[in-house]
């Protein structure tokens, strides 16, 4: 249950506060989220502004930062008080980094300045200027020092109070998340519609604004957070009448649909058989009741609906790319890649002002997951990095492999989770023989393996399989960086074992932020639920830790992830297991340089250092100086840079929406069934 102690808000280290009930108040707005019923700009998420819009720097006092430039109002030639003066050495500071190459003749060379530059490079943590030639960084230091490397190069004042390396989300699904959350689909996810009444308002608006003959598709239902069981056809018929409508679960594992859809397929007279790997909920007579489960059955429901709705899959995917860019992300991954998605990723990578680099992990269920892949966009933009497996499922639907049971509660009842049968070893998706065969096939080819593992039993299973395969193939002690994803129930000894094996762990702060109040006592006993996402134990174990959002299971929000890991505050403001809070520095590393290490990309991105690609994020305030509980509110993303160019999202989106959708339309239904794992 919630702890009576709150983290020290000035240092990100636990210290006293007050207790509060653990069940979220359904009427309370989510920190940094739009308030239900109030208009929200179409593309604004989690308090992040649309790129290119002016956002003032707001420190803890609510006033502009003294001596720092206000975005949009640069002061040419004026030094920033408290910052190094160009050309003047700072006693005790390390020598600035610079390149040996004579880059002054490069037509694309320039020097970029900001109020302060947070490099995430231990050798030179702070700077005031960075020199860029082509797409790469050639010097970091003061303006005078950068000018020595690029004499005569133009000096560009970013106008940003803070420049950092672009954030990295090492576990996402950007293409499929676009199909799942962007038009023609309509989002009802809890961060947009926190209460069921908010969902009903979205339903009503959609019916009023769309032709009665057009199907309606909604994505993001969550029984736990919306506070009701998954709707059946009878429930949806009361809302939609004779209209075809589909409501997809936020997990991607289930769909609810109206009787009109059942009749349109002839399923009322001839109910379909359950496909292999999927099923339909039925009444005692075998008739469908309007719920499908897992990819094969969900695809049967969604395929014709998506075909009728039309739309441009590249345009939808590009909108999600833009959401990630607005959150400050410049590098990410697709952890459910398959070869048929390659043309879509290629097309997005070469569009003007494409905002993301993407590393790809191919699903182990592919016909040949170990097959090589090359991309015309080049490896700096698009690279296949590894192969992905799943030991267990999702905590929110009851198929996570834990050594401890779910508890019987109102929350688990409305989510359809039976504590007598849910969880445990039965939630495993593979036998050891199956996993060993996949690892033996892919490990010799050099692929970086990744295991989705939420429960503690699932983590043990993955580590056991990894240790055998690493030893078998001579990889123990090498720089393999095999991965564990999510690790919600991970324990200290498991993180220590991962560190010994050279396994990286990517944690999921969003699980704690959105579901933490329910995890503690309402889904699991407090000794297990309160410590979910044990950030401190992972960091202290010495394992390389990264943070992610697993889009579209949660919206892209690195700054909110940092806030959550540092404060242990949930969306309601409650705190559980404050001893699992980590420092701001550790959390920022987990979204920059350590995330880059997990992607095997630290030679390219993750810090502002000579030789790396010029990928930056502009921020309205210094995250090291803001009170941690207000990070997501007060540290705004002002813009991003990729390859030494400011990202122009309108240009990118225009190109995507103008592209030919024909080669990619077959992906549409899959976007609602495979977007988060």
């Amino acid at each position: 249950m919630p702890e009576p102690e709150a983290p020290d808000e000035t240092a990100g280290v636990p210290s006293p506060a007050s207790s509060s009930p653990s069940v979220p108040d359904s009427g309370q707005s989510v920190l940094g989220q739009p308030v239900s019923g109030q208009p929200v700009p179409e593309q604004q998420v989690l308090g992040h502004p649309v790129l290119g819009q002016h956002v003032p720097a707001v420190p803890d006092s609510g006033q502009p930062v003294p001596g720092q430039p206000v975005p949009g109002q640069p002061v040419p030639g004026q030094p920033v008080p408290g910052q190094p003066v160009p050309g003047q050495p700072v006693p005790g500071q390390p020598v600035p980094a610079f390149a040996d190459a004579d880059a002054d003749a490069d037509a694309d060379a320039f020097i970029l300045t900001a109020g302060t530059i947070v490099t995430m490079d231990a050798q030179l943590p702070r700077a005031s200027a960075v020199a860029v030639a082509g797409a790469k960084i050639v010097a970091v230091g003061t303006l005078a020092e950068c000018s020595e490397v690029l004499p005569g190069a133009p000096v560009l004042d970013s106008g940003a109070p803070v420049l950092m390396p672009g954030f990295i989300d090492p576990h996402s699904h950007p293409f499929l998340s676009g199909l799942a959350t962007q038009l023609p689909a309509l989002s009802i996810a809890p961060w947009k519609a926190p209460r069921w009444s908010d969902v009903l308002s979205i339903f009503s608006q959609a019916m009023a604004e769309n032709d009665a003959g057009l199907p309606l598709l909604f994505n993001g239902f969550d029984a736990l957070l919306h506070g009701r069981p998954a709707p059946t056809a009878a429930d949806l018929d009361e809302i939609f009448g004779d209209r075809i409508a589909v409501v997809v679960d936020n997990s991607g594992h289930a769909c609810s649909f109206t009787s009109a859809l059942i009749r349109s397929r002839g399923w009322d007279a001839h109910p379909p058989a359950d496909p292999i790997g999927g099923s339909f909920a039925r009444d005692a007579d075998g008739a469908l009741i309007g719920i499908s489960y897992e990819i094969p059955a969900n695809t049967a429901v969604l395929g014709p609906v998506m075909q009728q709705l039309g739309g441009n899959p590249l345009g939808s995917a590009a909108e999600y790319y833009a959401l990630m860019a607005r959150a400050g992300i410049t590098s990410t991954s697709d952890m459910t890649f398959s070869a048929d998605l390659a043309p879509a990723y290629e097309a997005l990578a070469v569009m003007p002002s494409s905002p993301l680099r993407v590393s790809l992990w191919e699903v182990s269920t592919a016909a040949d997951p170990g097959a090589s892949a090359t991309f015309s966009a080049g490896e700096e933009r698009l690279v296949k990095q590894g192969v992905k497996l799943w030991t267990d499922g999702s905590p929110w639907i009851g198929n996570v492999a834990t050594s401890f049971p779910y508890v019987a509660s109102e929350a688990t009842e409305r989510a359809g989770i039976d504590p007598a049968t849910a969880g445990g070893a039965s939630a495993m998706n593979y036998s050891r023989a199956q996993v060993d065969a996949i690892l033996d096939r892919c490990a010799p080819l050099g692929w970086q393996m990744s295991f989705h593992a939420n429960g503690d039993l699932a983590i043990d299973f993955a580590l056991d399989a990894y240790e055998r395969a690493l030893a078998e193939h001579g990889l123990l002690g090498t720089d393999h960086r095999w991965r564990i994803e999510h690790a919600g129930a991970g324990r200290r000894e498991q993180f220590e074992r991962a560190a010994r094996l050279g396994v990286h762990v990517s944690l999921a702060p969003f699980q704690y932020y959105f579901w933490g109040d329910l995890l503690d006592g309402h889904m699991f006993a407090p000794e297990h639920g309160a410590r979910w996402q044990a950030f401190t134990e992972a960091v202290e174990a010495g394992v390389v830790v990264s943070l992610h959002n697993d889009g579209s299971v949660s919206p892209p929000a690195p700054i909110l992830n940092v806030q959550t890991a540092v404060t242990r505050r949930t969306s309601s403001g409650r705190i559980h297991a404050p001893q699992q809070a980590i420092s701001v520095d550790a959390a920022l590393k987990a979204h920059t340089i350590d995330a880059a290490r997990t992607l095997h990309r630290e030679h390219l991105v993750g810090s502002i250092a000579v030789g790396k690609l010029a990928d930056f994020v502009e921020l309205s305030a210094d995250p090291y100086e803001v009170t941690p509980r207000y990070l997501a509110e007060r540290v705004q993303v002002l813009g991003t840079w990729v390859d030494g160019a400011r990202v122009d999202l309108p240009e990118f989106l225009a190109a995507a929406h103008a592209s030919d959708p024909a080669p990619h339309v077959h992906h549409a239904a899959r976007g609602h069934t495979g977007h988060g794992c």
Side-chain angles (χ1 to χ4, degrees):
M1 306 300 280
E3 298 278 351
E5 303 293 318
D8 177 346
E9 298 301 356
T10 64
V13 178
S15 81
S18 60
S19 63
S20 55
S22 63
V23 180
D25 177 1
S26 62
Q28 183 167 354
S29 63
V30 178
L31 181 63
Q33 300 297 317
V35 178
S36 175
Q38 294 185 0
V40 181
E42 179 64 24
Q43 296 299 336
Q44 194 163 347
V45 174
L46 290 169
H48 294 307
V50 176
L51 293 192
Q53 289 186 351
H54 169 72
V55 179
V58 184
D60 296 346
S61 65
Q63 300 299 319
V65 179
Q68 288 193 349
V70 177
Q73 300 179 21
V75 185
Q78 295 298 315
V80 179
Q83 298 294 335
V85 177
Q88 298 298 317
V90 180
Q93 293 299 313
V95 177
F98 60 90
D100 293 330
D102 181 9
D104 59 324
D106 194 317
D108 297 324
F110 62 92
I111 298 171
L112 187 65
T113 64
T116 187
I117 298 176
V118 180
T119 68
M120 303 309 295
D121 177 4
Q123 299 302 310
L124 185 68
R126 294 275 174 160
S128 55
V130 55
V132 177
K136 293 191 174 182
I137 297 167
V138 296
V140 184
T142 66
L143 177 57
E145 291 157 344
C146 288
S147 295
E148 290 179 7
V149 177
L150 292 180
V155 178
L156 307 180
D157 182 355
S158 68
V162 180
L163 194 72
M164 283 189 66
F167 293 131
I168 299 170
D169 187 330
H171 183 121
S172 189
H173 313 270
F175 182 78
L176 296 180
S177 293
L179 304 189
T181 65
Q182 305 300 306
L183 293 173
L186 299 170
S187 176
I188 57 168
W191 29 94
K192 180 171 185 178
R195 299 165 295 193
W196 182 246
S197 60
D198 302 319
V199 173
L200 294 176
S201 295
I202 294 174
F203 287 166
S204 296
Q205 183 177 356
M207 286 189 287
E209 293 178 353
N210 290 276
D211 185 272
L214 191 69
L216 296 175
L217 175 61
F218 306 90
N219 191 292
F221 172 75
D222 187 290
L224 286 165
L225 297 181
H226 284 135
R228 58 150 296 143
T232 64
D235 296 325
L236 294 178
D237 291 347
E238 293 183 4
I239 300 168
F240 296 104
D242 292 330
R243 187 167 195 155
I244 293 176
V246 180
V247 177
V248 183
D249 191 88
N250 189 59
S251 69
H253 290 271
C255 293
S256 297
F257 45 93
T258 58
S259 296
L261 184 145
I262 295 173
R263 292 192 297 270
S264 72
R265 309 286 174 82
W267 290 349
D268 51 340
H270 304 285
D274 287 345
I276 296 174
S279 63
F280 293 94
R282 304 172 190 271
D283 65 16
D285 298 323
L288 302 191
I289 64 170
I291 302 178
S292 60
Y293 300 101
E294 302 305 338
I295 290 176
N298 295 344
T299 300
V301 171
L302 286 162
V305 171
M306 294 299 300
Q307 185 175 8
Q308 186 174 351
L309 286 174
N312 185 338
L314 287 186
S316 297
E319 293 289 352
Y320 200 83
Y321 272 47
L323 285 181
M324 298 187 79
R326 293 187 183 103
I329 297 165
T330 55
S331 291
T332 188
S333 70
D334 184 347
M335 302 305 292
T336 48
F337 173 72
S338 58
D340 62 324
L341 292 177
Y345 273 115
E346 284 264 32
L348 290 165
V350 299
M351 286 180 180
S353 218
S354 183
L356 298 177
R357 305 183 192 281
V358 186
S359 300
L360 307 167
W361 269 257
E362 188 155 6
V363 291
S364 64
T365 52
D368 187 6
S372 62
T374 57
F375 303 95
S376 60
E379 287 194 355
E380 290 181 352
R381 277 285 181 169
L382 196 60
V383 62
K384 178 178 172 180
Q385 188 63 41
V387 176
K388 170 77 178 297
L389 305 93
W390 297 260
T391 52
D392 63 351
S394 166
W396 328 126
I397 61 174
N399 63 349
V400 61
T402 55
S403 62
F404 46 88
Y406 283 86
V407 300
S409 68
E410 180 184 348
T412 52
E413 181 179 1
R414 68 173 176 257
I417 297 173
D418 181 358
T421 59
S426 63
M428 296 293 186
N429 290 322
Y430 303 86
S431 68
R432 263 302 297 274
Q434 290 171 322
V435 165
D436 289 347
I438 294 169
L439 294 176
D440 287 343
R441 182 180 181 183
C442 297
L445 300 175
W447 294 119
Q448 185 183 2
M449 306 305 298
S450 169
F451 250 128
H452 163 116
N454 268 307
D456 60 330
L457 292 180
I459 297 169
D460 280 337
F461 181 94
L463 291 174
D464 288 346
Y466 276 175
E467 186 164 14
R468 183 211 66 85
L470 290 168
E472 177 71 21
H473 299 285
L475 295 172
L476 283 174
T478 68
D479 192 25
H480 56 82
R481 308 188 199 182
W482 289 8
R483 300 175 53 169
I484 298 288
E485 313 298 320
H486 313 319
R491 304 185 307 269
R492 181 182 296 273
E493 64 269 23
Q494 292 177 317
F495 296 132
E496 290 172 344
R497 185 183 179 195
R500 290 194 302 271
L501 292 174
V503 171
H504 288 213
V505 175
S506 192
L507 294 175
F510 68 89
Q511 291 187 349
Y512 177 84
Y513 181 79
F514 290 110
W515 289 274
D517 294 333
L518 294 168
L519 285 162
D520 184 0
H522 296 268
M523 294 177 65
F524 302 111
E527 61 266 29
H528 303 297
R531 59 175 298 282
W532 200 266
Q533 295 295 322
F535 305 115
T536 293
E537 293 180 14
V539 170
E540 290 182 349
V543 71
V544 176
V545 173
S546 62
L547 303 177
H548 66 263
N549 278 107
D550 195 13
S552 63
V553 176
S554 72
I559 298 172
L560 181 61
N561 286 344
V562 171
Q563 173 183 297
T564 301
V566 172
T567 67
R568 294 291 291 185
R569 288 185 182 274
T570 66
S571 61
S572 70
R574 299 179 177 94
I575 296 170
H576 310 260
Q579 69 274 15
Q580 294 298 341
I582 59 175
S583 69
V584 171
D585 187 60
L588 285 172
K589 286 178 179 176
H591 256 309
T592 54
I593 189 60
D594 286 345
R597 292 187 177 107
T598 292
L599 294 181
H600 269 289
R601 308 284 269 178
E602 77 276 16
H603 61 295
L604 296 174
V605 295
S607 63
I608 298 177
V610 169
K612 295 194 178 187
L613 296 166
D615 292 1
F616 311 126
V617 58
E618 299 173 354
L619 301 177
S620 65
D622 189 337
Y624 285 96
E625 300 297 330
V626 171
T627 300
R629 70 178 296 180
Y630 301 120
L631 279 166
E633 182 179 327
R634 296 180 179 174
V635 181
Q636 301 292 314
V637 173
L638 307 179
T640 58
W641 296 66
V642 172
D643 282 333
R646 192 188 295 270
V647 169
D648 184 339
L649 288 180
E651 180 184 34
F652 170 67
L653 291 170
H657 285 292
S659 66
D660 180 8
H664 313 289
V665 291
H666 60 290
H667 296 306
R670 183 182 166 192
H672 295 269
T673 58
H675 55 272
C677 291

